[in-house]
Amino acid sequence: MTLLPWKRAERQPEASPSTFEDLALPLLPALYNVAGWLTRNSGDAEDLVQEAVLKALKGFAGFEQGTNFKAWIFRILRNTYLTSRSGLAARRTVALEDELDERGEVLYLEGAIDRQTPELNLLRLADQEAVMQAMEKLPPPLLEVVLLCDVEEMKYKEIASVLEVPIGTVMSRIARARAQLRRSLEEGQRQSKGRNA
Amino acid sequence: MNGHLSAVTLNALIDGQLAAEELRVAKEHLDRCPSCTSDALEYALLKNTVARNGQRHTMPAGFEAKIRSQISAHQAAAASSDKSAGPRTGTQRNMALAGWAAAAALLLSVGGAVVVEQRARLADATAMQTASLAAEVVDQHVATLANSQPQVVSSDRHTVKPWFQGKIPFSFNLPEPLPQDTKLDGANLAYLYGHPAAQLLYSIGRHRVSVFLTERTNSTQTMKTQERAGYHLVSFSTADLDAVAISDVDPARLAELVRSIEQAQNGSH
């Protein structure tokens, strides 16, 4: 039985959710969070997100519908950050080697970390404050890759698109970022042991 | 690597990024290697902890509303420049049914509200355009600071000005006597809002200054003086040019340079 088919047709959504607001506004908290981590300052984070959103809005006509909007707008946020004063300062102070050896493994990484028992690791990782401090010590290029991967749950391919680097570079940066986090946590643990002894 | 899984493989494993065959091989290895299993467990815990602690910065109250209004202001400005808006026939039909008197009253009140709303939106759009232009100016100035050499390196205004001939659709004058401790370093061909601009580079002491000159437009992007990201921006307009200067130097000294450039425009072309 067909009842009022015209009415049902009228209720169909007009189009897929592709207006700028539909796509951008749900991402604001995530953009603000990453901006906050990168700038370390709420005022700068607000400015950064505003500028990125305005740039994205102006360039939205050039955005290819159906492609990854999240990666696209995060790339704009990041490029806006990189041309900001703090972004330039961060780039000047950090040297990154993204080289992998011929087998696709990060150079110099193996052996940098002592293999420990899971029990010790569990104890160490339970200290969230220590993890926070370790994250704050990460240089911006390593911090952003960890944020995009772990917090934003982006795939390596998406992260590569945001950072405009090859996937291999993403992989090596993630490995290096986590190795540095582990190192910072271990140092923190050693220092607190020293104080308690 | 002593037969252990590499750091890259371990990370890709816990990020769910291994291809099926790589995953099978890695799992087989984990079944017989307590050391790598311990590492994988630790990485997984680390990932979870980072994910939890990484959500640290929450938007201030009203921030989303602010962005929302900026977006709608931008869209209103874009719509008003696009003069193809069609009539709202459904509303008109309803008003006709309600009678001429009611319709007229409704039109008056709706018209008034629309005018007020359009003015507010126009003000919003202008404020946003100004903010957006300022952001572009800051970006370009900062990018210039990061680059070592201007496109034309000269302290001679008779070299810098002719360099722009054929590159920009307007002309300008450069002041000869400059304020004390100020010198011309060179210039770049730049773009502001998609329009060609002459970016003049000055130094006041050790502070760098960029002065962007563009062809005068009808849009009123009057910035006057403002501060943004630690930089001072000063703007002025002549009959033919819009100009904006940016630097982290003392605002009074920046204003002095800007005044001399403005005065030079009133001289001979």
Side-chain angles (χ1 to χ4, degrees):
Chain A
M1 186 168 66
T2 311
L3 282 176
L4 302 176
W6 56 273
K7 213 163 196 174
R8 193 178 298 159
E10 204 176 55
R11 280 169 180 250
Q12 289 290 324
E14 285 176 355
S16 57
S18 57
T19 68
F20 185 78
E21 290 103 313
D22 287 341
L23 295 167
L25 292 178
L27 295 174
L28 279 184
L31 290 167
Y32 185 85
N33 180 51
V34 171
W37 272 103
L38 293 176
T39 60
R40 317 274 167 111
N41 175 307
S42 60
D44 288 350
E46 274 190 49
D47 285 350
L48 180 56
V49 174
Q50 279 186 68
E51 283 181 37
V53 169
L54 287 177
K55 281 182 183 171
L57 181 57
K58 280 199 283 182
F60 189 56
F63 170 70
E64 200 181 323
Q65 293 284 335
T67 58
N68 194 324
F69 182 82
K70 186 175 179 179
W72 181 73
I73 198 166
F74 266 88
R75 184 163 68 226
I76 292 173
L77 178 89
R78 178 175 184 271
N79 287 340
T80 307
Y81 165 72
L82 288 180
T83 51
S84 71
R85 256 192 325 171
S86 48
L88 280 170
R91 270 200 292 181
R92 273 198 296 270
T93 52
V94 176
L96 268 186
E97 298 92 22
D98 284 318
E99 293 85 5
L100 303 178
D101 68 10
E102 63 278 10
R103 285 177 301 174
E105 292 169 351
V106 183
L107 297 172
Y108 70 76
L109 201 68
E110 204 68 24
I113 307 296
D114 294 332
R115 292 177 185 272
Q116 298 191 13
T117 64
E119 288 79 11
L120 274 177
N121 298 338
L122 280 168
L123 280 174
R124 189 175 69 222
L125 292 170
D127 185 351
Q128 294 197 3
E129 185 55 37
V131 174
M132 191 82 85
Q133 283 175 11
M135 286 177 72
E136 282 176 352
K137 282 183 199 163
L138 282 181
L142 297 186
L143 176 63
E144 65 187 357
V145 84
V146 159
L147 289 171
L148 295 177
C149 183
D150 294 352
V151 181
E152 293 310 319
E153 296 176 345
M154 286 188 188
K155 300 289 178 203
Y156 288 175
K157 195 176 163 191
E158 294 172 311
I159 298 170
S161 158
V162 172
L163 305 184
E164 296 174 282
V165 295
I167 286 184
T169 302
V170 173
M171 293 170 86
S172 73
R173 282 194 194 174
I174 285 175
R176 194 177 299 113
R178 292 197 179 126
Q180 187 164 327
L181 283 174
R182 291 173 70 176
R183 246 188 328 262
S184 295
L185 290 169
E186 281 164 5
E187 279 167 17
Q189 195 184 41
R190 266 197 301 274
Q191 283 167 4
S192 70
K193 266 183 189 170
R195 277 194 299 273
N196 295 335
Chain B
M1 301 285 164
N2 303 326
H4 288 301
L5 296 178
S6 73
V8 167
T9 305
L10 276 173
N11 281 294
L13 172 74
I14 62 140
D15 289 331
Q17 298 280 293
L18 286 183
E21 178 57 19
E22 292 170 317
L23 183 64
R24 188 190 62 75
V25 172
K27 278 183 170 170
E28 266 179 19
H29 179 83
L30 291 181
D31 285 343
R32 53 189 157 75
C33 178
S35 172
C36 284
T37 306
S38 160
D39 270 358
L41 173 63
E42 185 178 347
Y43 275 127
L45 286 167
L46 186 61
K47 182 180 169 73
N48 286 340
T49 317
V50 167
R52 216 172 29 245
N53 291 331
Q55 288 163 353
R56 181 185 191 185
H57 301 274
T58 49
M59 290 193 300
F63 184 65
E64 183 175 339
K66 192 173 161 186
I67 296 278
R68 202 183 278 273
S69 83
Q70 286 183 341
I71 291 173
S72 55
H74 184 279
Q75 286 169 338
S80 69
S81 66
D82 177 17
K83 295 175 181 166
S84 59
R88 295 185 177 183
T89 53
T91 313
Q92 283 169 353
R93 223 176 286 132
N94 288 340
M95 284 197 294
L97 285 173
W100 287 108
L106 191 62
L107 270 175
L108 278 174
S109 63
V110 168
V114 166
V115 167
V116 169
E117 193 188 328
Q118 274 185 344
R119 274 190 190 157
R121 283 191 167 190
L122 199 64
D124 272 355
T126 307
M128 196 192 65
Q129 263 190 342
T130 304
S132 178
L133 177 65
E136 220 172 306
V137 167
V138 172
D139 279 1
Q140 295 223 23
H141 179 62
V142 169
T144 306
L145 294 181
N147 290 331
S148 53
Q149 289 281 319
Q151 290 168 7
V152 52
V153 187
S154 175
S155 59
D156 181 2
R157 68 186 178 127
H158 300 296
T159 304
V160 170
K161 184 182 166 183
W163 183 80
F164 282 101
Q165 276 179 7
K167 296 186 174 74
I168 52 174
F170 58 91
S171 180
F172 57 87
N173 290 331
L174 290 174
E176 178 64 293
L178 287 168
Q180 195 186 2
D181 210 16
T182 302
K183 74 176 181 69
L184 178 64
D185 294 327
N188 287 327
L189 174 63
Y191 288 87
L192 276 186
Y193 255 45
H195 298 292
Q199 183 187 10
L200 308 172
L201 303 165
Y202 288 92
S203 300
I204 302 178
R206 298 174 75 89
H207 299 271
R208 301 290 298 275
V209 182
S210 289
V211 182
F212 294 90
L213 301 175
T214 51
E215 201 171 20
R216 181 105 168 92
T217 58
N218 289 328
S219 61
T220 50
Q221 291 169 355
T222 47
M223 197 179 293
K224 306 301 180 198
T225 303
Q226 61 165 277
E227 196 178 328
R228 191 178 179 88
Y231 292 97
H232 302 288
L233 289 92
V234 181
S235 66
F236 70 85
S237 292
T238 67
D240 306 314
L241 297 174
D242 285 325
V244 55
I246 176 172
S247 179
D248 58 352
V249 74
D250 172 35
R253 301 193 68 189
L254 179 62
E256 203 182 348
L257 170 63
V258 168
R259 243 190 328 272
S260 73
I261 295 173
E262 187 175 8
Q263 281 165 3
Q265 307 317 311
N266 299 326
S268 65
H269 270 268

